[in-house]
Amino acid sequence: MPELPEVESVRRTLAPRLVGWVVSQVRIGLAKLARPSPQALTQGIRGQKVQNIGRHGKLLILELAQGGFWTIHLGMTGQLIMANERPRAGHVHITVSFADHGPRLYYRDLRQFGGMTYCPDQEALDSGPLANMGPDALGLERNLFISRLAGRRAPLKSLLLDQRVLAGVGNIYADEALHRAGLHPTSRPAELSAKQLADLHRHLQETLTEALARGGSSVRNFVDAEGRPGTFQHAHRVYRRTGLPCPACGSPVQRIVLAGRSTHFCPHCQG
DNA sequence: GAATACCTGAGC
DNA sequence: GCTCAGGTATTC
């Protein structure tokens, strides 16, 4: 489900509780969600203190006191819930308990596209979960953003979705940022001006920041680690608004398929 | 690039 | 029944 603002919302609700806690038990109900293997994950994190919780793109990175890393990717439908009791809803695949603390960390994932990885050191992190990942989209410096897109001939939206170009943007925020910037999703950076790319940079930052301030978008079932949904879905201008009026000009929002993903845009504002 | 695969469900 | 769904990896 989650793109950068949603993952960051989870990180912010998780960190105040988990940092300093020591993993005491790991229960894995679905082996494929634990990498490199259920045994390696369990042995890697059990007995370890969570030193810090970071994020790169859509990836949560829990730094362990002994130098290893425990990464969590929520895929399309992953949820991390801190609670005293197992959530009633189904699809809880991993449960992590902590020494001297009642609340447990429950990993739910209906579609099973996410999962956890244990990396024993920085090298394993860089060559594993972070391999090929571009710079984090949030706060990405303008000139770096422009240089990563400038001259490219692929459709602009495809590049925004490509985590190798920049990390964290998914289908919602690609569509929303392009609308705000007045750029057509199939436009090609090679044919855009530096000013247009600079505008896109500004609008992308504003979109991500506003979404984060509202706790992310809950299109279907996103909740943070406290179980709270976000509210930014109410501020969406084009995403999943096919046929509804563009908030800027009133033209009906159009839907096409690009890079295999639903793509929503205003044919007038983004013409 | 597109197509396909991985999964389960919601909505029509 | 069918299409679609916030992600990503793999294969032409």
Side-chain angles (χ1 to χ4, degrees):
Chain A
M1 25 145 121
E3 307 181 27
L4 190 154
E6 290 77 35
V7 177
E8 178 64 13
S9 296
V10 172
R11 191 195 70 76
R12 291 182 181 185
T13 47
L14 213 51
R17 310 191 65 165
L18 274 199
V19 170
W21 291 16
V22 174
V23 174
S24 63
Q25 198 182 26
V26 185
R27 206 195 127 272
I28 296 164
L30 190 57
K32 69 170 183 175
L33 300 188
R35 292 177 280 265
S37 70
Q39 296 77 4
L41 176 71
T42 301
Q43 285 167 26
I45 70 176
R46 193 171 51 202
Q48 294 302 318
K49 180 191 283 187
V50 178
Q51 190 104 309
N52 185 43
I53 304 184
R55 178 193 56 75
H56 190 97
K58 303 167 189 170
L59 186 71
L60 284 170
I61 304 171
L62 289 75
E63 301 175 30
L64 304 174
Q66 111 289 21
F69 298 90
W70 167 21
T71 70
I72 304 174
H73 199 294
L74 300 176
M76 201 110 105
T77 51
Q79 294 180 344
L80 286 171
I81 307 288
M82 288 295 306
N84 290 306
E85 293 178 17
R86 182 188 181 88
R88 299 215 173 156
H91 308 289
V92 174
H93 298 305
I94 300 178
T95 303
V96 181
S97 308
F98 299 89
D100 306 319
H101 295 279
R104 291 177 169 147
L105 180 65
Y106 296 96
Y107 179 70
R108 299 185 61 215
D109 193 350
L110 186 149
R111 289 177 73 180
Q112 308 170 14
F113 290 170
M116 301 182 178
T117 303
Y118 171 69
C119 300
D121 52 32
Q122 186 73 44
E123 202 280 327
L125 178 66
D126 291 339
S127 64
L130 285 181
N132 303 320
M133 231 186 249
D136 189 70
L138 188 61
L140 179 58
E141 202 267 320
R142 185 177 67 176
N143 288 335
L144 182 52
F145 175 83
I146 293 173
S147 70
R148 295 188 74 79
L149 291 174
R152 304 279 305 252
R153 305 208 66 86
L156 181 51
K157 182 182 171 183
S158 305
L159 294 167
L160 292 178
L161 291 178
D162 187 339
Q163 304 299 298
R164 295 169 299 186
V165 176
L166 71 170
V169 177
N171 211 27
I172 295 176
Y173 299 106
D175 281 2
E176 292 297 314
L178 286 169
H179 178 266
R180 290 184 182 214
L183 294 172
H184 198 285
T186 62
S187 64
R188 296 168 194 276
E191 291 155 12
L192 296 175
S193 67
K195 178 175 183 309
Q196 286 175 305
L197 291 178
D199 281 349
L200 176 59
H201 171 265
R202 178 165 55 84
H203 287 291
L204 176 61
Q205 294 304 317
E206 286 176 5
T207 306
L208 294 175
T209 304
E210 287 175 29
L212 184 52
R214 287 171 169 74
S217 303
S218 293
V219 170
R220 174 170 260 149
N221 57 11
F222 167 74
V223 291
D224 67 21
E226 310 282 0
R228 284 190 297 260
T231 61
F232 192 69
Q233 65 276 14
H234 303 303
H236 292 173
R237 301 181 185 185
V238 288
Y239 180 74
R240 285 190 49 128
R241 289 177 42 84
T242 310
L244 296 173
C246 164
C249 77
S251 304
V253 170
Q254 266 187 25
R255 175 184 179 275
I256 58 173
V257 174
L258 181 59
R261 316 296 303 280
S262 275
T263 296
H264 315 78
F265 66 100
C266 169
H268 180 253
C269 296
Q270 300 171 256

